Amino acid sequence: MSVSSLKLFTSTLPKLVSIKEARKLKNKIDEAENLKNETQTTLSEIKKRQNDVQIEIQDIHKDAEKKVRQLEENAEAKLKDQIAKRQVLAEAKIDQLTRDANNLIQTHISSTAIAATISILQQKLNNQEQQKLIDKSIEELGSALKN
């Protein structure tokens, strides 16, 4: 190797190293930019997913509130229905108790009136008058049954 070629070789060597280092730096810069772009893309995807999740949570919350309102409305309707049915039953029981009480009163009044009539008739009528009254009552009863 001649001196001039050696000089040429050594003078170009630092330039080659510099070019190599520059390429390495450029590659590292490109990798960093790619990594930055990928990170930004990933961050954007995460933010979008986070927004999607927030929307989904809001939808679930709205659905839950709607279901709660429906359950409350159904429970209220069932309660009103049960109250109405119990009121009808209570009114029917009251009506039946009223009829039973009226029947007992009428029966008592009738029994008392019959007992009083019998007592009065026994005190005021003799045996012959009592027999005539019985015969007449039987006769009236027979003609009432024929009609």
Side-chain angles (χ1 to χ4, degrees):
M1 217 190 220
S2 69
V3 174
S4 66
S5 22
L6 187 60
K7 276 186 174 181
L8 179 65
F9 178 72
T10 54
S11 66
T12 58
L13 187 60
K15 287 182 185 175
L16 288 176
V17 171
S18 295
I19 292 172
K20 258 185 173 177
E21 286 178 5
R23 284 184 184 160
K24 282 182 183 180
L25 284 174
K26 173 127 174 57
N27 287 339
K28 285 185 180 184
I29 290 172
D30 288 345
E31 284 178 33
E33 284 180 13
N34 287 338
L35 185 59
K36 177 184 170 189
N37 290 338
E38 287 175 16
T39 304
Q40 286 177 341
T41 302
T42 303
L43 181 62
S44 294
E45 289 172 0
I46 289 172
K47 285 183 178 181
K48 183 182 182 310
R49 180 63 185 141
Q50 187 177 19
N51 288 338
D52 292 345
V53 168
Q54 287 295 330
I55 291 170
E56 190 174 342
I57 288 171
Q58 289 172 352
D59 290 344
I60 290 170
H61 188 261
K62 286 177 186 176
D63 287 345
E65 286 178 343
K66 183 179 177 181
K67 287 178 182 179
V68 166
R69 279 193 305 275
Q70 287 174 342
L71 289 172
E72 287 173 344
E73 290 170 1
N74 289 343
E76 185 178 350
K78 285 180 181 179
L79 182 60
K80 285 180 180 180
D81 188 46
Q82 287 177 345
I83 290 171
K85 286 177 181 178
R86 287 184 181 183
Q87 185 173 356
V88 167
L89 288 174
E91 289 172 357
K93 285 182 181 181
I94 290 170
D95 289 345
Q96 183 61 45
L97 289 172
T98 303
R99 283 191 300 275
D100 291 348
N102 285 337
N103 287 339
L104 283 172
I105 292 169
Q106 287 176 350
T107 301
H108 180 68
I109 291 172
S110 297
S111 297
T112 304
I114 290 171
T117 303
I118 290 172
S119 176
I120 292 171
L121 289 176
Q122 285 176 345
Q123 291 173 2
K124 301 235 175 191
L125 299 177
N126 62 29
N127 284 342
Q128 189 181 8
E129 290 173 329
Q130 287 177 4
Q131 191 58 47
K132 282 183 187 178
L133 187 58
I134 291 170
D135 291 341
K136 186 177 179 186
S137 296
I138 291 171
E139 203 176 290
E140 287 177 3
L141 183 60
S143 49
L145 291 175
K146 287 181 184 178
N147 292 335

Short mmCIF file of all heavy atoms in Angstrom, two decimals, residues 55-78:
data_model
loop_
_atom_site.label_atom_id
_atom_site.label_comp_id
_atom_site.label_asym_id
_atom_site.label_seq_id
_atom_site.Cartn_x
_atom_site.Cartn_y
_atom_site.Cartn_z
N ILE A 55 -69.28 5.07 27.87
CA ILE A 55 -70.60 5.05 27.22
C ILE A 55 -71.35 3.79 27.60
O ILE A 55 -72.55 3.83 27.91
CB ILE A 55 -70.44 5.19 25.69
CG1 ILE A 55 -69.94 6.58 25.33
CG2 ILE A 55 -71.75 4.87 24.98
CD1 ILE A 55 -69.53 6.75 23.87
N GLU A 56 -70.65 2.67 27.61
CA GLU A 56 -71.27 1.39 27.99
C GLU A 56 -71.75 1.44 29.44
O GLU A 56 -72.85 0.99 29.76
CB GLU A 56 -70.28 0.25 27.78
CG GLU A 56 -70.89 -1.12 27.92
CD GLU A 56 -69.91 -2.23 27.58
OE1 GLU A 56 -68.88 -1.96 26.92
OE2 GLU A 56 -70.17 -3.37 27.99
N ILE A 57 -70.94 2.02 30.32
CA ILE A 57 -71.33 2.16 31.72
C ILE A 57 -72.57 3.04 31.85
O ILE A 57 -73.50 2.71 32.60
CB ILE A 57 -70.16 2.74 32.55
CG1 ILE A 57 -69.06 1.70 32.71
CG2 ILE A 57 -70.64 3.23 33.91
CD1 ILE A 57 -67.77 2.24 33.31
N GLN A 58 -72.60 4.12 31.10
CA GLN A 58 -73.77 5.01 31.12
C GLN A 58 -75.01 4.27 30.62
O GLN A 58 -76.10 4.40 31.19
CB GLN A 58 -73.52 6.26 30.29
CG GLN A 58 -72.52 7.21 30.92
CD GLN A 58 -72.13 8.36 29.99
OE1 GLN A 58 -72.48 8.38 28.82
NE2 GLN A 58 -71.37 9.31 30.53
N ASP A 59 -74.87 3.50 29.55
CA ASP A 59 -75.99 2.72 29.02
C ASP A 59 -76.48 1.70 30.05
O ASP A 59 -77.69 1.54 30.25
CB ASP A 59 -75.60 2.01 27.72
CG ASP A 59 -75.41 2.97 26.56
OD1 ASP A 59 -75.86 4.14 26.67
OD2 ASP A 59 -74.81 2.57 25.54
N ILE A 60 -75.53 1.01 30.68
CA ILE A 60 -75.90 0.03 31.71
C ILE A 60 -76.61 0.73 32.86
O ILE A 60 -77.63 0.23 33.37
CB ILE A 60 -74.64 -0.74 32.21
CG1 ILE A 60 -74.13 -1.67 31.11
CG2 ILE A 60 -74.95 -1.52 33.48
CD1 ILE A 60 -72.77 -2.28 31.40
N HIS A 61 -76.11 1.88 33.26
CA HIS A 61 -76.72 2.64 34.35
C HIS A 61 -78.14 3.06 33.98
O HIS A 61 -79.07 2.94 34.78
CB HIS A 61 -75.85 3.86 34.67
CG HIS A 61 -76.28 4.59 35.89
ND1 HIS A 61 -77.03 5.72 35.85
CD2 HIS A 61 -76.07 4.33 37.21
CE1 HIS A 61 -77.27 6.14 37.06
NE2 HIS A 61 -76.69 5.31 37.91
N LYS A 62 -78.31 3.55 32.74
CA LYS A 62 -79.65 3.95 32.29
C LYS A 62 -80.60 2.75 32.27
O LYS A 62 -81.75 2.85 32.69
CB LYS A 62 -79.58 4.58 30.89
CG LYS A 62 -79.00 5.97 30.87
CD LYS A 62 -78.89 6.50 29.45
CE LYS A 62 -78.17 7.83 29.40
NZ LYS A 62 -77.98 8.32 28.02
N ASP A 63 -80.10 1.61 31.75
CA ASP A 63 -80.92 0.39 31.73
C ASP A 63 -81.30 -0.04 33.14
O ASP A 63 -82.44 -0.44 33.40
CB ASP A 63 -80.18 -0.75 31.01
CG ASP A 63 -80.12 -0.57 29.51
OD1 ASP A 63 -80.87 0.28 28.98
OD2 ASP A 63 -79.30 -1.26 28.86
N ALA A 64 -80.34 0.04 34.06
CA ALA A 64 -80.60 -0.36 35.45
C ALA A 64 -81.65 0.56 36.07
O ALA A 64 -82.58 0.08 36.74
CB ALA A 64 -79.32 -0.33 36.26
N GLU A 65 -81.53 1.85 35.83
CA GLU A 65 -82.52 2.80 36.35
C GLU A 65 -83.90 2.52 35.76
O GLU A 65 -84.91 2.56 36.46
CB GLU A 65 -82.10 4.24 36.05
CG GLU A 65 -80.97 4.74 36.91
CD GLU A 65 -80.54 6.16 36.55
OE1 GLU A 65 -80.87 6.64 35.44
OE2 GLU A 65 -79.87 6.77 37.39
N LYS A 66 -83.93 2.21 34.47
CA LYS A 66 -85.21 1.91 33.80
C LYS A 66 -85.83 0.66 34.41
O LYS A 66 -87.03 0.63 34.70
CB LYS A 66 -84.96 1.71 32.30
CG LYS A 66 -86.21 1.48 31.50
CD LYS A 66 -85.87 1.33 30.02
CE LYS A 66 -87.10 1.01 29.20
NZ LYS A 66 -86.78 0.82 27.78
N LYS A 67 -85.00 -0.38 34.64
CA LYS A 67 -85.50 -1.61 35.23
C LYS A 67 -85.99 -1.38 36.65
O LYS A 67 -87.02 -1.93 37.05
CB LYS A 67 -84.43 -2.70 35.20
CG LYS A 67 -84.20 -3.25 33.82
CD LYS A 67 -83.11 -4.31 33.78
CE LYS A 67 -82.88 -4.80 32.36
NZ LYS A 67 -81.82 -5.81 32.29
N VAL A 68 -85.29 -0.55 37.40
CA VAL A 68 -85.71 -0.24 38.77
C VAL A 68 -87.06 0.47 38.74
O VAL A 68 -87.96 0.14 39.53
CB VAL A 68 -84.64 0.63 39.49
CG1 VAL A 68 -85.19 1.24 40.77
CG2 VAL A 68 -83.41 -0.20 39.80
N ARG A 69 -87.21 1.43 37.83
CA ARG A 69 -88.50 2.13 37.71
C ARG A 69 -89.61 1.15 37.34
O ARG A 69 -90.72 1.21 37.89
CB ARG A 69 -88.41 3.24 36.66
CG ARG A 69 -87.77 4.52 37.17
CD ARG A 69 -87.99 5.69 36.21
NE ARG A 69 -87.53 5.45 34.85
CZ ARG A 69 -86.29 5.63 34.42
NH1 ARG A 69 -85.37 6.05 35.26
NH2 ARG A 69 -85.96 5.39 33.17
N GLN A 70 -89.32 0.23 36.40
CA GLN A 70 -90.33 -0.75 36.01
C GLN A 70 -90.70 -1.65 37.19
O GLN A 70 -91.87 -1.95 37.41
CB GLN A 70 -89.82 -1.60 34.85
CG GLN A 70 -89.78 -0.87 33.53
CD GLN A 70 -89.14 -1.69 32.41
OE1 GLN A 70 -88.43 -2.66 32.67
NE2 GLN A 70 -89.40 -1.31 31.17
N LEU A 71 -89.68 -2.09 37.94
CA LEU A 71 -89.95 -2.93 39.11
C LEU A 71 -90.78 -2.17 40.14
O LEU A 71 -91.71 -2.73 40.73
CB LEU A 71 -88.64 -3.42 39.73
CG LEU A 71 -87.86 -4.46 38.93
CD1 LEU A 71 -86.50 -4.72 39.57
CD2 LEU A 71 -88.65 -5.76 38.83
N GLU A 72 -90.44 -0.91 40.36
CA GLU A 72 -91.21 -0.10 41.30
C GLU A 72 -92.65 0.06 40.83
O GLU A 72 -93.59 -0.06 41.62
CB GLU A 72 -90.57 1.28 41.47
CG GLU A 72 -89.28 1.27 42.27
CD GLU A 72 -88.57 2.61 42.30
OE1 GLU A 72 -88.90 3.49 41.46
OE2 GLU A 72 -87.68 2.77 43.15
N GLU A 73 -92.83 0.33 39.54
CA GLU A 73 -94.18 0.48 39.00
C GLU A 73 -94.97 -0.82 39.11
O GLU A 73 -96.14 -0.81 39.48
CB GLU A 73 -94.11 0.94 37.53
CG GLU A 73 -93.63 2.37 37.36
CD GLU A 73 -93.35 2.74 35.91
OE1 GLU A 73 -93.54 1.89 35.01
OE2 GLU A 73 -92.92 3.89 35.69
N ASN A 74 -94.31 -1.94 38.80
CA ASN A 74 -94.98 -3.25 38.92
C ASN A 74 -95.35 -3.53 40.37
O ASN A 74 -96.45 -4.01 40.65
CB ASN A 74 -94.09 -4.37 38.37
CG ASN A 74 -93.96 -4.33 36.86
OD1 ASN A 74 -94.76 -3.69 36.17
ND2 ASN A 74 -92.96 -4.99 36.33
N ALA A 75 -94.43 -3.25 41.28
CA ALA A 75 -94.70 -3.50 42.70
C ALA A 75 -95.84 -2.62 43.19
O ALA A 75 -96.73 -3.08 43.92
CB ALA A 75 -93.44 -3.25 43.53
N GLU A 76 -95.84 -1.37 42.74
CA GLU A 76 -96.91 -0.46 43.14
C GLU A 76 -98.26 -0.93 42.57
O GLU A 76 -99.27 -0.92 43.28
CB GLU A 76 -96.60 0.96 42.65
CG GLU A 76 -97.60 2.00 43.12
CD GLU A 76 -97.24 3.40 42.67
OE1 GLU A 76 -96.13 3.61 42.17
OE2 GLU A 76 -98.09 4.29 42.83
N ALA A 77 -98.26 -1.35 41.33
CA ALA A 77 -99.50 -1.84 40.71
C ALA A 77 -100.00 -3.09 41.44
O ALA A 77 -101.20 -3.22 41.71
CB ALA A 77 -99.27 -2.15 39.23
N LYS A 78 -99.09 -4.02 41.76
CA LYS A 78 -99.49 -5.23 42.48
C LYS A 78 -100.03 -4.88 43.86
O LYS A 78 -101.03 -5.46 44.30
CB LYS A 78 -98.30 -6.19 42.61
CG LYS A 78 -97.96 -6.90 41.33
CD LYS A 78 -96.79 -7.85 41.51
CE LYS A 78 -96.43 -8.55 40.21
NZ LYS A 78 -95.28 -9.46 40.37
#
